[in-house]
Amino acid sequence: MAAVALLVVLLAGTTSASGMPEPGERAPEWVLDDLQGNPVAFPQVGLGRTSVILFWAGWCHYCKALMPRLSALLDDPGAREISAFAIRIADDEPITGASTGLTILDHGDPVAWRYGVETVPALFIVDRSGRVVYRLDYPPAEHPSQQTGDRSHQAGLLAEWWESRLRGVLDLQRPRVQADPG
């Protein structure tokens, strides 16, 4: 219940004039502590690299479906020059099972407000110069994820669609499926 109340407060404060940064605009700067208490300052940690910034919450079904796919995408050999930050918002539960390849940051509500985040997951890809090149979007109405009422099934379909979009923007190949020898 506290998470819902915090989300309501967060959403009430998202009516900033700037809203979400558009592709081509500079990504807002921020400083948050990682899980070990070390400060992480953006864009300094991302300059010279492409950065993925994901806003998430532990109670979000869609975040739970997307994060493992994002971690797997970051394991791609072509993703070596990508910095990835997972900023948790609207959630006070302990963080468990953190995804590999992502720098996990907590208490990101003020940063989410600066980015105009109204729902989770929210994701931005920022180029080497600090400009937004992609914001997480949603499939068209005819996509299977938009046709199902089952939230778990919808989350899986959306995560698959988002992974495909991210691979395209980041210019990463889809993993090849090995043929079964038997």
Side-chain angles (χ1 to χ4, degrees), residues 83-164:
S83 298
F85 308 97
I87 301 174
R88 188 170 80 149
I89 64 171
D91 197 338
D92 292 328
E93 295 298 317
I95 294 176
T96 58
S99 298
T100 59
L102 300 167
T103 300
I104 306 293
L105 306 158
D106 204 4
H107 309 294
D109 301 278
V111 176
W113 181 84
R114 293 194 69 211
Y115 276 74
V117 171
E118 295 182 359
T119 60
V120 290
L123 182 141
F124 300 85
I125 296 178
V126 180
D127 71 11
R128 297 167 191 256
S129 70
R131 297 198 179 277
V132 173
V133 294
Y134 173 77
R135 280 192 333 210
L136 194 68
D137 55 354
Y138 288 84
E142 61 273 3
H143 188 268
S145 68
Q146 305 304 302
Q147 303 298 316
T148 182
D150 178 347
R151 185 180 297 176
S152 294
H153 185 62
Q154 182 184 41
L157 292 169
L158 281 171
E160 180 181 337
W161 192 81
W162 285 328
E163 178 187 6
S164 175

Side-chain angles (χ1 to χ4, degrees), residues 21-134:
E22 296 289 334
E25 294 179 352
R26 287 193 110 9
E29 295 181 9
W30 48 263
V31 178
L32 290 171
D33 288 343
D34 65 17
L35 296 181
Q36 291 72 43
N38 302 311
V40 176
F42 185 85
Q44 292 82 354
V45 296
L47 287 180
R49 302 175 71 141
T50 297
S51 296
V52 175
I53 302 171
L54 170 67
F55 292 92
W56 66 284
W59 45 262
C60 169
H61 296 287
Y62 306 103
C63 300
K64 288 178 185 177
L66 176 59
M67 286 180 79
R69 287 183 171 273
L70 181 56
S71 289
L73 181 145
L74 293 168
D75 286 339
D76 186 291
R80 288 191 186 110
E81 294 299 314
I82 297 172
S83 298
F85 308 97
I87 301 174
R88 188 170 80 149
I89 64 171
D91 197 338
D92 292 328
E93 295 298 317
I95 294 176
T96 58
S99 298
T100 59
L102 300 167
T103 300
I104 306 293
L105 306 158
D106 204 4
H107 309 294
D109 301 278
V111 176
W113 181 84
R114 293 194 69 211
Y115 276 74
V117 171
E118 295 182 359
T119 60
V120 290
L123 182 141
F124 300 85
I125 296 178
V126 180
D127 71 11
R128 297 167 191 256
S129 70
R131 297 198 179 277
V132 173
V133 294
Y134 173 77

